[in-house]
Amino acid sequence: MPVVVIDPVDMPGPDVPSVGATNWSGGMSATEHLVELGHRRIAVVGGPEDYLCSRARIDGYRAALDRAGIPADPALVRHGNFHHDGGYERARELLELPDRPTAVFAGSDEQAFGVLEAARQAGLSVPGDLSVVGFDDLPMARWSSPPLTTVRQPLADMGRMAGRMLLDLVSGRELASQRVELATSLVPRASTARRP
């Protein structure tokens, strides 16, 4: 039975077609945005360590720090799940550090909403005291308070591409590529600001 995997958790076998997003460059662009705003204590809250997309986003984060000449601090790298509770719990840990971060890149918008909640409970203003960037650009990202800066993952385009690939397979046509990655893009909103 023909199958195409969308946003695989791990690298599928060479004979399994898949469609994903440029997670590494998304992580890099999120972190570069924060660096350009003057942040140097930038934390990352990723998803599960064994998820391919989570590893790629954190690798992009590290690459952006390295490119800017900012040493990566292992204390600022946290893993959880891609949900609100995971972002909230990891952000609470980060905000209790003696030298807390001034910015957080969350591996998903849901995690970023958890970071926003932890900041509110700690009495911090976003973006005045803490800048926050998410990943996905869910519809609710523009309605959060403040509206969330995020990396747009082209979810609808990923679905369309997987559908086309599947139709090609069903029709007996050979695929141009077994692995397709669609570009991500940064969407700046009000949750990030220049470091005071």
Side-chain angles (χ1 to χ4, degrees):
M1 176 184 297
V3 65
V4 177
V5 179
I6 299 175
D7 198 20
V9 168
D10 208 347
M11 187 62 78
D15 57 336
V16 179
S18 64
V19 179
T22 54
N23 290 296
W24 183 89
S25 64
M28 187 164 189
S29 65
T31 309
E32 284 179 333
H33 172 67
L34 294 167
V35 169
E36 288 165 5
L37 291 172
H39 295 278
R40 296 297 175 266
R41 293 281 298 161
I42 303 169
V44 63
V45 177
E49 289 185 71
D50 58 339
Y51 280 28
L52 179 65
C53 62
S54 181
R55 291 194 313 264
R57 291 170 194 177
I58 291 175
D59 286 346
Y61 155 85
R62 287 188 178 114
L65 291 181
D66 184 57
R67 187 174 178 179
I70 301 170
D73 183 348
L76 297 180
V77 178
R78 302 296 165 110
H79 295 273
N81 58 39
F82 282 126
H83 305 292
H84 183 281
D85 63 322
Y88 174 78
E89 293 298 331
R90 299 298 81 79
R92 283 191 54 181
E93 295 167 4
L94 290 164
L95 297 177
E96 289 173 0
L97 292 173
D99 187 12
R100 68 171 177 77
T102 63
V104 176
F105 164 45
S108 75
D109 287 350
E110 285 192 42
Q111 279 182 316
F113 300 143
V115 173
L116 293 175
E117 180 63 24
R120 271 192 292 276
Q121 288 188 10
L124 300 174
S125 73
V126 174
D129 299 314
L130 183 73
S131 285
V132 180
V133 178
F135 199 107
D136 289 327
D137 195 26
L138 299 176
M140 64 190 88
R142 73 190 104 194
W143 304 322
S144 68
S145 181
L148 184 66
T149 296
T150 187
V151 174
R152 178 175 292 140
Q153 184 169 207
L155 299 172
D157 292 340
M158 289 161 63
R160 278 191 286 277
M161 176 62 74
R164 278 191 223 116
M165 291 169 72
L166 193 55
L167 288 174
D168 284 346
L169 289 172
V170 169
S171 300
R173 291 189 289 271
E174 190 172 322
L175 297 177
S177 175
Q178 290 288 99
R179 172 80 177 147
V180 175
E181 286 193 345
L182 301 180
T184 55
S185 58
L186 183 74
V187 182
R189 294 194 180 104
S191 68
T192 53
R194 187 157 293 283
R195 183 173 171 253

